[in-house]
Amino acid sequence: MKIAVLAGDGIGPEIIAQAVRVLDALKTGGLDIELEYGLIGGCAVDATGEPYPEATHQLARQADAILLGAVGGPQYDTLPRQQRPERGLLAIRKELNLFANLRPAILYPELANASSLKYEVVAGLDIMIVRELTGDIYFGEPRGIEMRDGQRVGFNTMRYSETEIKRIAHVAFQAANKRNRKLCSVDKMNVLECTQLWRDVVIEVSREYPQVILSHMLVDNAAMQLVRDPKQFDVLVTGNMFGDILSDEASMLTGSIGMLPSASLDENNKGLYEPIHGSAPDIAGKDLANPLATILSVAMMLRYTFNQEEAAQRIERATKKVLASGFRTKDIDEPGMKSVGTRAMGDAVLSFL
Ligand code: IPM
Ligand code: MG
């Protein structure tokens, strides 16, 4: 298992260090793991002038999977768009064709109080957002800011081809098939042609999955339903931009963005795995960040890219035991719990592993 490790910026290196300890433990336990390190985001800009240098691209291309920390920081906010750390993330997704972004939102019973929603609304929550990741208004052309008739005009293009919609729909139906067989496709077909096509194609693909119950929801309603009654959902599938927004919303149902992993997969289940939170520059280097989302991303990697279900579950069980034993980083802390820092949280996971 060849894994490219791209720690990135901010808290990235700290949380990745704990995930690497978990990988090392699995290696000692017999898994054939090989790690190689590379630069992405702001640290890559500092070192090479580019957020996704060619050397990183080669490393990532040759690896079976990529483990990524986070990118970005206020010191890069004034850089031209092409050099912003986020461009590194968008570039690696696009270049490696990582079109299927799986973002589970699971509420761990021990953390029910961390959610801002009522206990009964979120207790037992387990949903999966399948976000298309390499198309839509994020990448559509034309785009830009131009002078027209004496004033500046900004524009982007929302665009999806049938092929792009089909392949993400298949991923979503297959994910639903392995879960509770309910898929809700989110669009804005009452206004946007692009998402009318989305709906039409999803319905066409659904004929191959008669065992999955398909429903459709407009994105504004979906945003509301996610806080009103999130447990009505099993799997949600949507485009790049709606998925970006809804997945942040869904993460907060669980009260703790520091807990949620993600996978971004290509056609052959090669994948990039990262916590869904950002680089949190305000707490970087202070041993405060929660490494669990990154550690749980390793579990997703073992499951989706390497078919090592047992090892994946070992990590997930260890994480649950850590929470059940009261270990809490600051983002999920409560009175009466064992407050720990990033490294001590890693220690706790390793001890249960
Ligand atoms: C995410 C992030 C990225 C996105 C940014 C950092 C480019 O918000 O992974 O959700 O918009 O996709
Ligand atoms: Mg986002």
Side-chain angles (χ1 to χ4, degrees), residues 71-72 85-90 93 101 103 131-133 138-139 240-241 243-245 247-248 262 264 274-278:
V71 298
E86 293 80 3
R87 289 298 315 174
L89 198 53
L90 296 172
R93 290 171 178 172
N101 186 209
R103 297 192 164 184
R131 169 190 178 195
E132 200 289 329
L133 203 58
Y138 270 54
F139 295 95
N240 204 345
M241 184 158 71
D244 178 43
I245 299 166
S247 62
D248 262 31
S262 76
S264 307
E274 56 177 325
I276 82 156
H277 60 70

Side-chain angles (χ1 to χ4, degrees), residues 208-222:
E208 293 175 48
Y209 301 90
Q211 61 288 30
V212 175
I213 300 171
L214 173 67
S215 60
H216 304 273
M217 205 177 269
L218 298 174
V219 63
D220 48 351
N221 186 25

Side-chain angles (χ1 to χ4, degrees), residues 90 93 99 101 103 129-140 143 155-160 164 168 186-188 192 194-195 198 219-220 222-223 226 237-250:
L90 296 172
R93 290 171 178 172
F99 68 92
N101 186 209
R103 297 192 164 184
I129 296 191
V130 178
R131 169 190 178 195
E132 200 289 329
L133 203 58
T134 53
D136 203 351
I137 196 164
Y138 270 54
F139 295 95
R143 62 192 298 158
F155 52 95
N156 288 88
T157 305
M158 182 179 244
R159 183 188 181 283
Y160 267 121
E164 289 174 301
I168 193 71
V186 176
D187 60 43
K188 187 72 185 171
L192 303 170
C194 177
T195 73
W198 176 281
V219 63
D220 48 351
L226 265 176
V237 63
T238 191
N240 204 345
M241 184 158 71
F242 297 160
D244 178 43
I245 299 166
L246 294 181
S247 62
D248 262 31
E249 186 187 11

Side-chain angles (χ1 to χ4, degrees), residues 34 81 88 102 156 278 289 297:
E34 193 187 309
R81 190 156 291 275
L102 310 182
N156 288 88
S297 297

